[in-house]
Amino acid sequence: QNSALRLLLKILSSCSKVGDPHPGQPYKGGDFCAFLPDNRDGQKIAVLLRKAFLHGLTFQIKSCNGEEKVTWGLIPHKTSWDGGRARNGYPDSQYLREVCTVL
């Protein structure tokens, strides 16, 4: 059986900054979860994803029904351990290569 690295990220609600779609406006945070295989490649990607997070590249603020909220940014994340590509999960033989290219 394959094991997974589970990344849990909690983004608190706050106010947007300069460079966001509506600076100074409040936005709603959220809880986010992503999965990587627990192997050498998955661990390498986890390090790169952490760097991207620390540089503010993982999430973005979007307007949805008149409310500003945090959503995933342009870096693809697997939000399910199973279900395949169609359900944003595994198996997906191209994912690690694709996310590495984006990072």
Side-chain angles (χ1 to χ4, degrees):
Q1 174 173 345
N2 295 332
S3 58
L5 294 172
R6 188 170 158 191
L7 311 173
L8 299 172
L9 306 159
K10 182 174 190 75
I11 305 300
L12 301 176
S13 298
S14 187
C15 286
S16 55
K17 302 179 199 114
V18 172
D20 289 327
H22 302 284
Q25 295 297 311
Y27 64 82
K28 184 178 179 180
D31 295 328
F32 298 84
C33 182
F35 296 88
L36 291 166
D38 190 5
N39 59 28
R40 188 179 326 167
D41 290 337
Q43 291 166 6
K44 281 192 224 174
I45 296 299
V47 170
L48 295 175
L49 287 173
R50 182 177 189 278
K51 287 181 182 180
F53 177 79
L54 293 173
H55 283 89
L57 302 173
T58 304
F59 297 100
Q60 59 189 351
I61 300 171
K62 284 192 175 177
S63 293
C64 183
N65 298 326
E67 179 182 57
E68 302 291 309
K69 62 187 238 176
V70 174
T71 63
W72 289 109
L74 299 176
I75 299 169
H77 287 76
K78 289 296 183 184
T79 55
S80 175
W81 183 240
D82 54 19
R85 194 173 181 106
R87 293 185 183 231
N88 207 24
Y90 295 95
D92 182 347
S93 62
Q94 300 301 311
Y95 173 69
L96 293 177
R97 189 172 314 127
E98 289 172 0
V99 74
C100 189
T101 299
V102 171
L103 291 167

